[in-house]
Amino acid sequence: MGATLDDVALDILVRKARTQNGWLPTPVSDAELQAIYDLMKWGPTSANCCPARLVFLRTPEAKARLLPALSPGNVDKTKAAPVTVIIGYDTRFHEVLPKRFPHRPEMADNYKSNATLAQTTAFRNGTLQGAYFMLAARALGLDIGGMSGFDNAKVDAEFFPDGRVKSNFLCNVGHGDPSRIMPRLPRLTFEEACTLL
Amino acid sequence: MGATLDDVALDILVRKARTQNGWLPTPVSDAELQAIYDLMKWGPTSANCCPARLVFLRTPEAKARLLPALSPGNVDKTKAAPVTVIIGYDTRFHEVLPKRFPHRPEMADNYKSNATLAQTTAFRNGTLQGAYFMLAARALGLDIGGMSGFDNAKVDAEFFPDGRVKSNFLCNVGHGDPSRIMPRLPRLTFEEACTLL
């Protein structure tokens, strides 16, 4: 049996961690954002393709560019969060794949010749990295609140006008206001979600 | 500042954890699989949609149904792993969404009336849950090796013939053979992957 996390760590990561809907004014430093990235980057991706691209919105001016794309229910909490990150993925990740997977640079050809495979790979692995981002932030003592209620096309036009990077989802980062947490919602049981063969 | 994970925990989760290519014969119990699920299920998903569906292949007979769909490089390690899990997603997750999001059951209508949104939401959130699965397994002392080198259509025809669940990626689970780990591959720097606005 390998080494395991203790109960405190499991609680911080997921068991007692909660999606945040309100935010305290405590700031998040650039050093903390870098620390999140330096942790999440080690999470596994297919052929080390690392397609996630993160845009950190730290100022009211930067947030103002995002707000018109948000669902109404996501506006106030995004304004209040110290940082909102746009988690996107590089649709041309394969152009830098030879540097990421140097022992088999020809892996890039699989994606160059198959746009559907490249898109699916970028979206899947960029999403895995989005999950690593959220858990890394929690591991470092920050709270998060992911959001997919927004207009991806509007975000892409505003932040990624050359079309190379596509937005995936958004995540507020900071220190949550405990008074704004919703009651915990019921998960599927093992029997509902899993099959043993 | 919230509570944080210590260095040992961060090493177990990602910093020293490695994708496994070979497996020791140490078995993985059903109780361990249930413990992984009971941890991963708390990871956040959009509107608590929880679309991931897991099929655990624990026997040579169950594995034999998967092997014809695998890329050649994934066959031997999948045979050797104590358990291989098919991480899929329920394309009709919205049918059970009113139980998952009981205070706003009308959320399900957004997905019922928009098949593209439902597919994207199932794939995105099922992938987030796939990442939670991998990190939960590591948190509980197990090793993992994710794989997307396989024919999804073949896996779907064999394991999900009614078309409701779609395969996303595969993951071997067990205790890795340290002699089969590859050298660690270079990640993008913060400056390459991130933008501060």
Side-chain angles (χ1 to χ4, degrees), chain A residues 14-167:
Chain A
V14 284
R15 291 198 311 203
K16 293 190 178 172
R18 302 299 313 284
T19 291
Q20 303 294 326
N21 297 298
W23 298 94
L24 303 176
T26 319
V28 174
S29 70
D30 292 355
E32 287 177 296
L33 300 177
Q34 175 129 18
I36 298 172
Y37 179 73
D38 282 338
L39 194 55
M40 70 165 272
K41 73 181 179 185
W42 296 121
T45 56
S46 176
N48 193 37
C49 61
C50 304
R53 299 294 180 270
L54 309 181
V55 180
F56 293 104
L57 310 178
R58 305 169 297 165
T59 65
E61 294 71 26
K63 297 266 195 75
R65 297 172 56 192
L66 177 67
L67 298 179
L70 297 181
S71 304
N74 286 331
V75 171
D76 286 347
K77 55 190 173 188
T78 298
K79 281 181 169 174
V83 176
T84 303
V85 55
I86 303 169
I87 296 170
Y89 54 90
D90 181 0
T91 59
R92 301 215 305 269
F93 68 91
H94 42 83
E95 292 180 9
V96 288
L97 195 61
K99 282 178 68 176
R100 308 269 80 69
F101 208 64
H103 57 299
R104 284 184 58 199
E106 73 278 9
M107 280 287 287
D109 300 336
N110 296 340
Y111 304 108
K112 274 183 200 150
S113 62
N114 186 338
T116 302
L117 177 66
Q119 161 67 25
T120 301
T121 301
F123 185 43
R124 176 187 296 117
N125 287 278
T127 304
L128 292 176
Q129 290 185 282
Y132 305 149
F133 175 88
M134 294 193 284
L135 297 190
R138 286 176 170 176
L140 297 173
L142 292 159
D143 292 311
I144 52 99
M147 299 179 289
S148 52
F150 68 97
D151 183 328
N152 290 70
K154 274 192 192 171
V155 169
D156 293 349
E158 177 64 27
F159 291 94
F160 309 118
D162 72 3
R164 176 172 183 142
V165 173
K166 300 291 183 189
S167 60

Side-chain angles (χ1 to χ4, degrees), chain B residues 15-149:
Chain B
R15 291 197 311 203
K16 293 189 179 171
R18 302 298 313 285
T19 290
Q20 303 294 326
N21 297 298
W23 299 94
L24 303 176
T26 319
V28 174
S29 70
D30 291 355
E32 287 177 295
L33 300 177
Q34 175 128 18
I36 298 172
Y37 179 73
D38 283 337
L39 194 54
M40 70 166 271
K41 72 180 179 186
W42 296 121
T45 57
S46 175
N48 193 37
C49 62
C50 303
R53 300 293 179 269
L54 309 181
V55 179
F56 293 104
L57 309 179
R58 305 168 298 165
T59 65
E61 294 71 25
K63 296 266 195 75
R65 297 172 55 191
L66 177 66
L67 298 179
L70 296 181
S71 303
N74 286 331
V75 171
D76 286 346
K77 55 188 171 188
T78 299
K79 280 181 170 174
V83 175
T84 303
V85 55
I86 303 169
I87 296 170
Y89 54 90
D90 181 1
T91 58
R92 300 215 307 269
F93 68 91
H94 43 81
E95 293 180 8
V96 289
L97 196 61
K99 283 177 67 175
R100 309 270 78 71
F101 208 63
H103 57 300
R104 283 184 59 198
E106 73 278 9
M107 282 287 287
D109 300 335
N110 297 339
Y111 304 108
K112 274 183 200 150
S113 61
N114 186 336
T116 302
L117 178 66
Q119 162 66 24
T120 302
T121 301
F123 186 40
R124 176 187 296 116
N125 288 278
T127 304
L128 292 176
Q129 291 186 282
Y132 305 149
F133 175 89
M134 293 193 285
L135 296 191
R138 285 176 170 176
L140 297 173
L142 292 159
D143 292 311
I144 52 98
M147 300 179 288
S148 51

